[in-house]
Amino acid sequence: MQRLRSVLEALSGENPAQRKKRKRRHPRLHIVGSDELEATYAQASQAHIDAAILQPSLSIKRGADLALKYHLPTACVPRWFAEAGGLLSYCPKYSDTYRQAASYVDKVLKGAKPADLPVQQPIRFELVINLKTAKALGLTVPPSLLTRADDVIE
């Protein structure tokens, strides 16, 4: 989450002193279901919220479309959010996660007790930036951020 925060801060173009002076707040707009997305994006736009993080259990494509409609830079966990038109995604590399899960299934099927297996966390993460969306939102993505990205959609 810290890397995602630094990505969003880099996109904002403010340095830490400017942010502190502005006393930026981080309001939370709770959504129960996808049917509330449009009203929430409208509310965020009226409240002049700078950016949003979309819960991945909600409609990814709808969230990406509404982010553009309301000019609200939005990030989300799965890579397909950026592919669907969202600004950026930051998530574990799913192919690695699936490989880890398969090795656990193999161990359990060979008789290992699940409670005895160590908990593993993702090792590799993937940052995907959609430059087409950034341009539509009027954002300039710093070159230093583009070089860190694993994939850039143009």
Side-chain angles (χ1 to χ4, degrees):
M1 200 55 144
Q2 181 59 40
R3 187 172 176 204
L4 178 57
R5 187 174 291 121
S6 63
V7 166
L8 292 173
E9 287 172 355
L11 284 171
S12 75
E14 290 182 333
N15 65 41
Q18 289 172 317
R19 269 192 310 283
K20 200 171 190 177
K21 185 177 179 182
R22 246 181 79 175
K23 295 182 182 176
R24 183 174 294 197
R25 57 193 170 87
H26 301 283
R28 287 179 169 74
L29 301 174
H30 297 280
I31 301 174
V32 175
S34 292
D35 56 323
E36 299 175 7
L37 269 175
E38 179 134 20
T40 304
Y41 269 96
Q43 181 183 0
S45 179
Q46 290 170 351
H48 304 292
I49 291 176
D50 298 322
I53 298 175
L54 181 66
Q55 172 66 27
S57 64
L58 298 170
S59 172
I60 298 293
K61 177 64 176 148
R62 181 113 171 95
D65 292 344
L66 290 170
L68 279 173
K69 178 179 177 180
Y70 289 99
H71 275 65
L72 184 64
T74 304
C76 192
V77 173
R79 130 178 224 108
W80 47 90
F81 176 72
E83 292 170 348
L87 177 61
L88 63 90
S89 67
Y90 182 66
C91 62
K93 191 150 179 76
Y94 285 112
S95 58
D96 292 351
T97 305
Y98 297 145
R99 213 171 284 116
Q100 284 178 330
S103 74
Y104 268 55
V105 169
D106 181 57
K107 290 175 185 176
V108 170
L109 290 175
K110 289 180 179 174
K113 292 182 181 178
D116 294 339
L117 296 175
V119 174
Q120 291 186 345
Q121 292 184 346
I123 298 169
R124 294 189 329 176
F125 288 80
E126 183 173 49
L127 172 64
V128 181
I129 300 173
N130 189 324
L131 281 182
K132 194 165 92 173
T133 300
K135 185 177 180 181
L137 293 171
L139 298 172
T140 303
V141 180
S144 60
L145 192 57
L146 290 173
T147 59
R148 290 185 200 164
D150 297 290
D151 196 6
V152 175
I153 300 169
E154 296 189 51

